[in-house]
Amino acid sequence: QVQLVESGGGLVQPGGSLRLSCAASGYIPMTYAMDWYRQAPGKQRELVATITSEGRTNYADSVKGRFTISRDNAKNTVYLQMNSLKPEDTAVYYCNGRNRFSGSYYSSWGQGTQVTVSS
């Protein structure tokens, strides 16, 4: 069973930046797009950003222009660079992969990493 470990969260002031990492314990097949999700208290988990194995990206409107997703296939790692952070970005951030054919997830959900944007 492969695992995903998210890291890089923390407390940051509005307007600040953070870089999240998601390390997979095993190989991520090219058939999987990798996603970052977030879940704020009392809210459902939402998809924030997606990157395919070919490097095509997609973002939620709420983060477009501020967040950048990237992946290092050789390191089985996915990143989320978050700039111009806002208080409404406060959430636990998770990563996972989705099979482009079946839609199945790459792994069970990890612990996530907490991002808190506050002055």
Side-chain angles (χ1 to χ4, degrees):
Q1 175 74 21
V2 292
Q3 291 184 323
L4 296 165
V5 179
E6 302 93 346
S7 63
L11 173 64
V12 63
Q13 292 187 340
S17 298
L18 284 173
R19 188 193 193 207
L20 307 184
S21 297
C22 168
S25 61
Y27 172 68
I28 303 175
M30 294 296 103
T31 53
Y32 282 84
M34 295 300 294
D35 303 316
W36 279 99
Y37 300 80
R38 67 186 181 188
Q39 187 167 19
K43 294 188 177 181
Q44 289 189 332
R45 189 172 295 172
E46 65 170 335
L47 178 62
V48 173
T50 298
I51 186 166
T52 68
S53 57
E54 296 85 4
R56 291 191 299 270
T57 59
N58 195 45
Y59 299 93
D61 288 343
S62 58
V63 306
K64 204 170 290 184
R66 299 188 298 121
F67 290 10
T68 302
I69 188 171
S70 60
R71 67 192 284 175
D72 186 331
N73 293 328
K75 295 182 178 179
N76 296 315
T77 302
V78 183
Y79 305 96
L80 186 67
Q81 177 67 43
M82 305 187 297
N83 298 328
S84 302
L85 282 162
K86 304 176 181 180
E88 51 264 42
D89 295 319
T90 295
V92 179
Y93 284 72
Y94 303 87
C95 68
N96 213 328
R98 280 177 297 118
N99 187 293
R100 66 168 67 177
F101 301 112
S102 68
S104 60
Y105 287 115
Y106 172 76
S107 174
S108 55
W109 295 98
Q111 296 295 313
T113 185
Q114 176 71 49
V115 172
T116 303
V117 185
S118 175
S119 55

